[in-house]
Amino acid sequence: MTTSPADHASPPTASRKVPPFRFKRKRSEDSTAPSKRRAHEHRHHHRRHHRSRRHHTPGSSTDHQLDPETAFRESLFDALADDEGAAFWESVYGQPIHTYSPYVRSAGNGEPEQAELQRMTDDEYATHVRARMWEKSHAHIVEERRRREEQRLQRNEKEEQHRKWEPDVEAALRRGEEKKRVNRWKDAWGRYLQGWEALSSPGHGRGKKMKDQIPWPVKTGRYRDVDQEQVEIFFRNAPQSEQPSEGFDLTRVLKIERVRWHPDKLLQKARGDGLDEENMAMVTAVFQIIDRLWSTMRPA
């Protein structure tokens, strides 16, 4: 009886494992159709490995290829992708960057009820987030800017009010100054008339020089201030201070004053007391000024 080689093979032991039988597959099938489990494990491993590499702070060695705006935009949308990215970039920037709404309310043609929410573009959203983050991290600067803006608006409002009120204020000031001016002339005219009444009273001014008793027709009433200009100013302003401008006749007043200041008339009133040559020369000069003023104003 003959025997085969397989009859003499030792039986398999527990320490050796027989590899499972596998059909041969083409190389193209192995490379292009991995099993679902292997594909899942590969993606999961690659994602964790890529996550650990792609999270880097601005300024690292990989940032030289991106400008700051692009780098921030990439980090923003990475944070929006999932919680892990959001947590990572929050630790980098010191505040969350994924919590801002991408919607903005439209102008609505100036009507609030017509305003609608509109989604910002990626660039607009990135700019919006950066601005809000800057405001949050520089709150004291934002507050100072707000305070200065309020002060500027208040100044502008005051200036606008001043521009509106300025004509009325200036008109009121002019009326006030005119009233003061009229009152000053009114007082001067009153003192002038009282001086003439006193000069006609018996015994008035005893012991005083005649030039100090005469009510000279100037604003101060003093002898030393008498000249042609001051006398004309006095009669153009003082007499009408007690009467309305309408219907006032200065020529009638000047006609009375001509008689009052005639040298002969004044000599009679003074009874020759103290009217020396110097005083009479001044009286004559005043009379001539009044007469000339009356002549130029009276009807032809």
Side-chain angles (χ1 to χ4, degrees), residues 131-143:
R132 299 290 81 77
M133 290 175 62
W134 188 94
E135 291 175 359
K136 186 177 292 186
S137 60
H138 298 77
H140 61 289
I141 298 178
V142 175
E143 177 61 24

Side-chain angles (χ1 to χ4, degrees), residues 51 54-55 73-82 85-86 89:
R51 173 78 72 192
R54 69 183 177 129
H55 292 324
R73 176 176 164 175
E74 292 297 325
S75 63
L76 171 62
F77 290 105
D78 184 39
L80 293 170
D82 52 42
W89 290 111

Side-chain angles (χ1 to χ4, degrees), residues 165-201:
W165 297 342
E166 188 173 9
D168 295 336
V169 171
E170 291 181 353
L173 292 175
R174 287 194 298 268
R175 288 193 299 270
E177 288 298 321
E178 178 63 17
K179 187 175 181 180
K180 291 178 181 179
R181 187 190 71 83
V182 170
N183 288 336
R184 286 193 293 266
W185 282 117
K186 186 176 181 180
D187 293 340
W189 183 247
R191 289 194 303 269
Y192 176 77
L193 296 180
Q194 290 174 3
W196 279 110
E197 292 178 1
L199 189 63
S200 302
S201 302

Side-chain angles (χ1 to χ4, degrees), residues 80-294:
L80 293 170
D82 52 42
D83 293 342
E84 184 181 352
F88 176 80
W89 290 111
E90 181 176 350
S91 67
V92 171
Y93 289 105
Q95 57 176 295
I97 67 173
H98 64 290
T99 58
Y100 300 93
S101 172
Y103 294 93
V104 64
R105 192 169 294 278
S106 65
N109 297 324
E111 300 294 334
E113 60 274 8
Q114 296 181 5
E116 297 179 353
L117 287 177
Q118 296 180 349
R119 187 181 184 89
M120 289 180 275
T121 64
D122 289 351
D123 290 338
E124 290 173 343
Y125 181 60
T127 302
H128 171 75
V129 172
R130 291 190 73 176
R132 299 290 81 77
M133 290 175 62
W134 188 94
E135 291 175 359
K136 186 177 292 186
S137 60
H138 298 77
H140 61 289
I141 298 178
V142 175
E143 177 61 24
E144 179 64 17
R145 288 181 176 177
R146 184 195 62 77
R147 186 183 64 82
R148 291 183 179 181
E149 179 64 13
E150 287 184 356
Q151 291 178 345
R152 185 186 68 81
L153 294 176
Q154 290 175 359
R155 285 196 303 270
N156 291 345
E157 184 178 358
K158 289 181 179 179
E159 290 174 359
E160 182 64 23
Q161 291 176 351
H162 179 71
R163 282 193 293 269
K164 291 179 179 179
W165 297 342
E166 188 173 9
D168 295 336
V169 171
E170 291 181 353
L173 292 175
R174 287 194 298 268
R175 288 193 299 270
E177 288 298 321
E178 178 63 17
K179 187 175 181 180
K180 291 178 181 179
R181 187 190 71 83
V182 170
N183 288 336
R184 286 193 293 266
W185 282 117
K186 186 176 181 180
D187 293 340
W189 183 247
R191 289 194 303 269
Y192 176 77
L193 296 180
Q194 290 174 3
W196 279 110
E197 292 178 1
L199 189 63
S200 302
S201 302
H204 175 75
R206 290 186 182 276
K208 294 178 64 176
K209 294 181 179 181
M210 191 63 186
K211 70 176 184 180
D212 296 330
Q213 297 182 48
I214 295 175
W216 299 101
V218 290
K219 196 172 188 178
T220 61
R222 293 179 295 195
Y223 173 87
R224 65 183 182 183
D225 295 329
V226 176
D227 61 27
Q228 178 177 342
E229 181 183 7
Q230 293 301 317
V231 171
E232 289 184 358
I233 290 175
F234 179 82
F235 283 113
R236 290 182 184 277
N237 291 276
Q240 62 182 353
S241 63
E242 291 188 337
Q243 304 180 36
S245 299
E246 298 82 2
F248 175 74
D249 187 3
L250 181 57
T251 57
R252 184 176 63 83
V253 175
L254 293 175
K255 184 177 181 180
I256 296 173
E257 294 298 319
R258 281 180 72 251
V259 175
R260 177 177 285 166
W261 280 95
H262 194 281
D264 294 339
K265 187 73 172 178
L266 196 56
L267 277 173
Q268 294 176 7
K269 192 177 289 291
R271 294 176 294 278
D273 186 16
L275 272 178
D276 55 18
E277 184 175 343
E278 181 183 0
N279 292 334
M280 283 303 300
M282 184 64 75
V283 170
T284 302
V286 171
F287 169 77
Q288 291 173 348
I289 295 170
I290 296 172
D291 183 66
R292 186 166 47 251
L293 189 60
W294 173 75

